């Protein structure tokens, strides 16, 4: 007997740009991954702002369910990455890397010269993802997160700095 398709299958095509129609799906994924890092109102603000870029992967079997997303804000010539979330059942399968590459490529095409983010010093998987993408640690924020974890400040430059 053939096996049931995974409830969390996703398309291997490029992630799609998210808009206000994705608020509920973004909020639901945020709840599954981070137990509600942002409120529904914060998601609304994130998705309606013209300076924000959000991309996601939709579940094939459940078209209204996101299984991965990434968000960032373009300020002048810098991309500030604010959220990367991948469904716990789909982690370690390349979704995070694909989302990150899509966001970085979009920001670079818009003229951004660098990207920055904060990541928990204890989140080894995320640190590895960012370092594989060329991010380096440029600072630390002590006790930055609600649980007291330190945040590593990471940056990736898209162009060579001339001195």
């Amino acid at each position: 007997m053939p096996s049931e398709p995974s409830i969390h299958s996703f398309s291997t095509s490029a992630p799609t740009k998210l808009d206000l129609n994705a608020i509920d799906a973004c909020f639901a994924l945020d709840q599954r991954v981070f137990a509600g890092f942002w409120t529904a109102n914060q998601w609304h603000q994130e998705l309606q702002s013209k300076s924000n870029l959000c991309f996601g992967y939709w579940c094939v079997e459940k078209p209204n369910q996101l299984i991965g997303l990434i968000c960032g804000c373009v300020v002048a010539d810098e991309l500030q990455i604010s959220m990367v979330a991948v469904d716990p059942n789909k982690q370690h399968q390349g979704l995070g890397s694909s989302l990150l590459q899509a966001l970085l490529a979009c920001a670079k095409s818009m003229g951004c010269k660098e990207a920055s983010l904060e990541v928990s010093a204890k989140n080894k998987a995320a640190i590895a993802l960012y370092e594989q993408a060329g991010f380096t640690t440029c600072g630390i924020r002590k006790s930055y997160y609600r649980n007291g974890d330190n945040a590593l400040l990471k940056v990736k430059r898209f162009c060579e700095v001339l001195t």
Side-chain angles (χ1 to χ4, degrees), residues 25-84:
C26 289
F27 183 72
L29 181 60
D30 182 358
Q31 290 291 318
R32 290 195 311 277
V33 176
F34 300 116
F37 191 74
W38 288 346
T39 65
N41 187 50
Q42 287 170 306
W43 275 110
H44 185 271
Q45 292 172 357
E46 186 75 15
L47 294 170
Q48 85 172 11
S49 174
K50 301 260 187 259
S51 62
N52 290 349
L53 300 170
C54 297
F55 293 94
Y57 276 112
W58 295 95
C59 180
V60 171
E61 288 83 15
K62 292 187 173 184
N64 294 326
Q65 181 178 338
L66 276 173
I67 56 171
L69 65 81
I70 190 166
C71 297
C73 179
V74 175
V75 178
D77 61 357
E78 180 185 336
L79 170 68
Q80 298 172 349
I81 299 173
S82 53
M83 166 90 60
V84 180

Side-chain angles (χ1 to χ4, degrees), residues 4-10 59-62 65 67 89-90:
E4 294 274 326
S6 168
I7 191 168
H8 298 288
S9 295
F10 62 95
C59 180
V60 171
E61 288 83 15
K62 292 187 173 184
Q65 181 178 338
I67 56 171
N89 295 321
K90 277 300 181 187

Side-chain angles (χ1 to χ4, degrees), residues 10 86-97 123-126 128:
F10 62 95
V86 175
D87 187 289
N89 295 321
K90 277 300 181 187
Q91 293 176 355
H92 309 291
Q93 297 182 28
L95 275 167
S97 179
N123 191 340
K124 302 300 180 200

